[in-house]
DNA sequence: TTATAATTTTAGTTTCGCCTAAAAATATGT
DNA sequence: ACATATTTTTAGGCGAAACTAAAATTATAA
């Protein structure tokens, strides 16, 4: 139905729209690792297909149809990530690149069966919710670690950033999905913090890290 | 490394070479559902990449490199077919079209882990052998049903043709992988035959069918 | 052998997704 | 308000992978 290039654009626009409802050509170009001129071309094409609204010089936003497509791609992406992690034992930071390809496999039946085989998982290995078959995304009851009060027990349930460099750093600091922790101390100067882990280990993290980790109450 | 189009050509050439060592432009075009002119273009490109030998007007044949690539694609194809059939419960005639897409996913690690997860299967759901990691294909100890002696118990272990129309017909006649049967009578006039199945059922099959089923001794 | 048929290649287009360079529009700062 | 900076679009082009129509080559059969 849609080419891989089109699907990648739709999905990226959806993600950017979570932050700002109008998506600019440049932000899209940066995220897609391409040039603004290429983005303009694609926006015209996707507008013609009624997947997004596009006003010259003022950015784009997905139509209802566009959002539905986006969520179906995200559903496939996250189901495959779950499969790669849960069934094949891939590490947290390895699944994204492969799911980026698998999400484009065209077969409605495949998605249905994969979902059932995996036991209808509700969250991917990064803690992100998996849209259900009708495109519903349950809101996450998760908070930024940066905003979590010191002393209150928490569990890591998601990360905002999926770059390999970030996930690698988390590994270094023994931080992972389901890690139990308490914010021991937060330093006003640079918003860095000391975390006490369930293991008894204490690790230091920068503000950049706490702004990319989601936690929930333990 | 190689585009999906290139991979599809390589794989198809490999299959055609099992029948005739020199592959003609027209036979390739027919198999690929494309035009001879398009094939000529691609043959030039693949020759430049040293994946095949190509002599104008006289067809092509894969180089050692080309064969290695072909077997790695076939390995992925058959591993995915096994996964779809064994783990997701897809029917015999549904797996091919999806594996046709999955075979192009680029990740050496994925193939390694999938193979291990599936328990290093040696045959796909159609009974075709899965090349091992080094590209070795074990020869099948299988015979065409058309050549199988009447009266001798046999088990269906593979099919030559994977078209949905063929597999559907097999379903109609209750013929499947692992079906036990005996050739009850063969008719000289059109080489059609009566099969006695383990169930006691007797089914009539045409020569076209017996030439596309492989059996082994029961 | 020679005419005809079949196969294959060449030449010229098309669509897609990308690019660079230049022009146009919008945003910003004094 | 106006000059400057930033963002975005336009124009023109390229490579991949397909196509059609015409030309070239090889195969076949009288
Ligand atoms: Mn993708
Ligand atoms: Mn994810
Ligand atoms: Mn394929
Ligand atoms: Mn098969």
């Amino acid at each position: 139905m849609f080419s891989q290039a089109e699907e990648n654009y739709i999905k990226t626009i959806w993600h950017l729209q979570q932050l700002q409802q109008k998506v600019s050509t440049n932000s899209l170009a940066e995220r897609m690792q391409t040039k603004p001129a290429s983005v303009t071309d694609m926006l015209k094409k996707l507008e013609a297909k009624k997947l997004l609204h596009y006003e010259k010089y003022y950015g784009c936003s997905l139509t209802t149809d566009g959002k539905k497509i986006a969520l179906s791609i995200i559903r496939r992406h996250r189901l495959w990530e779950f499969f790669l992690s849960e069934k094949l034992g891939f590490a947290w930071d390895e699944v994204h690149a492969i799911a980026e390809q698998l999400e484009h496999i065209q077969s409605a039946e495949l998605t249905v069966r994969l979902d059932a085989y995996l036991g209808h998982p509700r969250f991917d290995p990064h803690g992100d919710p998996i849209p259900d078959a009708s495109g519903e995304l349950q809101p996450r009851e998760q908070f930024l670690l940066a905003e979590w009060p010191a002393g209150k027990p928490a569990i890591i349930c998601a990360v905002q950033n999926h770059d390999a460099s970030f996930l690698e750093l988390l590994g270094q600091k023994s931080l992972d999905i389901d890690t139990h922790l308490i914010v021991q101390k937060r330093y006003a100067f640079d918003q860095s913090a000391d975390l006490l882990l369930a293991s008894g280990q204490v690790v230091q993290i920068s503000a950049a890290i706490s702004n990319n980790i989601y936690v929930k109450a333990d």
Side-chain angles (χ1 to χ4, degrees), chain A:
Chain A
M1 195 56 174
F2 300 103
S3 72
Q4 298 203 182
E6 287 169 333
E7 288 193 344
N8 286 332
Y9 271 93
I10 300 278
K11 198 183 58 159
T12 304
I13 292 167
W14 188 92
H15 282 301
L16 289 174
Q17 269 200 277
Q18 301 310 104
L19 312 172
Q20 23 161 208
Q21 66 272 60
K22 239 1 182 325
V23 175
S24 73
T25 300
N26 264 12
S27 64
L28 202 38
E30 195 181 354
R31 267 290 194 100
M32 304 278 305
Q33 311 248 64
T34 183
K35 305 291 164 177
S38 308
V39 172
T40 301
D41 284 351
M42 184 58 90
L43 291 183
K44 287 177 184 166
K45 214 170 55 170
L46 294 177
E47 189 192 28
K49 294 191 177 187
K50 305 219 187 294
L51 296 179
L52 51 80
H53 304 294
Y54 168 53
E55 206 184 340
K56 248 172 145 180
Y57 291 104
Y58 291 96
C60 70
S61 62
L62 294 176
T63 61
T64 305
D65 277 5
K67 280 180 193 147
K68 209 153 67 181
I69 305 289
L71 284 164
S72 78
I73 301 163
I74 290 166
R75 173 169 165 75
R76 296 196 295 266
H77 182 99
R78 294 183 178 166
L79 283 174
W80 281 117
E81 280 191 344
F82 186 92
F83 167 77
L84 294 170
S85 162
E86 200 71 12
K87 300 290 187 181
L88 299 195
F90 273 102
W92 209 18
D93 56 341
E94 299 172 312
V95 300
H96 184 76
I98 304 177
E100 201 56 48
Q101 302 174 61
L102 285 165
E103 69 191 358
H104 304 293
I105 303 293
Q106 304 280 353
S107 166
E109 184 65 16
L110 175 61
T111 307
V112 169
R113 284 179 187 260
L114 181 64
D115 179 48
Y117 176 63
L118 298 175
H120 309 288
R122 296 172 54 244
F123 297 93
D124 81 4
H126 306 106
D128 291 311
I130 300 175
D132 69 21
S134 62
E136 286 305 310
L137 251 190
Q138 55 233 94
R140 58 208 291 175
E141 293 177 352
Q142 298 171 352
F143 304 85
L144 268 188
L145 179 51
E147 292 157 3
W148 192 259
K152 188 173 176 186
I155 305 178
I156 297 181
C157 52
V159 293
Q160 188 149 44
N161 185 308
H162 294 177
D163 292 352
S165 63
F166 177 60
L167 300 175
E168 186 202 346
L169 178 57
L170 289 190
Q172 199 82 41
K173 297 198 179 284
S174 306
L175 301 176
D176 199 348
I177 283 286
D178 284 334
T179 296
H180 295 238
L181 61 84
I182 291 174
V183 177
Q184 209 168 41
K185 180 148 181 50
R186 202 169 258 125
Y187 299 93
F189 175 66
D190 62 356
Q191 298 299 319
S192 69
D194 294 343
L195 304 181
L196 172 61
L197 307 190
S199 61
Q201 194 179 359
V202 174
V203 297
Q204 286 84 46
I205 61 168
S206 64
I209 295 181
S210 5
N211 275 306
N212 280 289
I213 292 179
Y214 283 102
V215 297
K216 61 185 178 192
D218 191 355

